[in-house]
Amino acid sequence: MTQSNPNTQSQKQSDEIARCKARVLELIDAAGTDGAYDDEAFDALMEALKALCELTPVPAPLDNQAFIASPWKTLFASFGPRHTAGKTLVHDTLLSFQSFNKFPKIPVRVVALEQEIHAGTHEYNNIAYLTNMAGDARASVITRGTYDDQSENRQRYDVTFERVELSSDDGLDDNALRAAFDLPPEHPLAIDMKPARFHSDVAFCDDDMRVNYGSQGGVYVLTRLDHAGRSVSFN
């Protein structure tokens, strides 16, 4: 596949992209202490994202898969309904919510959300970094998926999720990991699931920022990371 150079925009366009990105980040940081947004702030952020996406240097991401491929950290996520919008902060939730209900309703604390897209294997994995409520054990929930690149909409990644894993980030063995997160002794730590199909449109991407619009109405802003990968190797 021929990769076009996403960095050939004019200086004027580069300056406008930089201005729009700064505005987006400013509005993300305008969240309340709970990470939520009032209606005015939410609407302003949506307008700023729309303006940014109109300037994307990569209008056909599926024709530039190697450029999109990377570990990414979520800065902002809205899962459809307006009240779900929020700056990604440390927050308490349930293990079931992070795992398509494949793990029990056990309280956990989310400390970061990442996504890893690999052009060679077509992996499209979501990662939730967690601690237990005592804060003395760390783990990752990895939701493994793959994407199809045949859509006529060349911004659209058609993704199928098929497996969920809980993996220690402290080097704990399986039994110690179950104990640390109050899982039953025999509960599996890797579970295949009925394929869950979604699509996600990469409406903006450059060297360090990505904006996605999901099939369930979600809106996501991510920043590119520089590491070897948690769920897949980028080496």
Side-chain angles (χ1 to χ4, degrees), residues 72-75 87-93 98 108-115 126-131 139-142 169 222 225 227 230:
W72 297 87
K73 180 179 179 179
T74 304
L75 301 178
K87 179 181 179 181
T88 302
L89 300 173
V90 174
H91 64 280
D92 297 342
T93 183
Q98 300 297 325
V108 294
R109 182 160 293 154
V110 173
V111 297
L113 298 173
E114 293 186 9
Q115 188 175 80
N126 291 334
I127 306 168
Y129 291 92
L130 315 172
T131 69
S140 300
V141 172
I142 302 172
D169 291 333
L222 306 96
L225 299 174
H227 64 64
R230 175 66 177 83

Side-chain angles (χ1 to χ4, degrees), residues 54-123:
E54 290 174 353
L55 300 171
T56 182
V58 188
L62 287 179
D63 297 330
N64 289 275
Q65 292 176 42
F67 183 71
I68 307 301
S70 181
W72 297 87
K73 180 179 179 179
T74 304
L75 301 178
F76 167 88
S78 171
F79 299 101
R82 180 178 294 230
H83 73 271
T84 68
K87 179 181 179 181
T88 302
L89 300 173
V90 174
H91 64 280
D92 297 342
T93 183
L94 298 174
L95 187 56
S96 57
F97 182 75
Q98 300 297 325
S99 63
F100 281 91
N101 292 310
K102 295 304 178 183
F103 287 90
K105 294 181 178 179
I106 294 171
V108 294
R109 182 160 293 154
V110 173
V111 297
L113 298 173
E114 293 186 9
Q115 188 175 80
E116 295 183 340
I117 302 174
H118 195 283
T121 62
H122 281 204
E123 287 176 82

Side-chain angles (χ1 to χ4, degrees), residues 144-162:
R144 294 190 177 274
T146 56
Y147 70 88
D148 184 280
D149 62 3
Q150 299 304 305
S151 176
E152 292 184 6
N153 179 349
R154 303 307 288 168
Q155 290 190 337
R156 179 158 295 174
Y157 282 62
D158 290 307
V159 182
T160 302
F161 293 109
E162 300 187 76

Side-chain angles (χ1 to χ4, degrees), residues 17-26 28 45 48-49 52-53 56-58 67-68 70-73 75-76 202-212 220-225:
I17 287 173
R19 186 191 66 79
C20 287
K21 286 168 60 178
R23 177 62 173 160
V24 165
L25 293 174
E26 175 187 6
I28 288 175
L45 177 55
L49 288 173
L52 177 62
C53 291
T56 182
V58 188
F67 183 71
I68 307 301
S70 181
W72 297 87
K73 180 179 179 179
L75 301 178
F76 167 88
V202 179
F204 177 88
C205 187
D206 71 356
D207 289 335
D208 60 8
M209 183 179 285
R210 196 176 105 227
V211 179
N212 274 55
Y220 309 93
V221 181
L222 306 96
T223 186
R224 194 187 296 266
L225 299 174

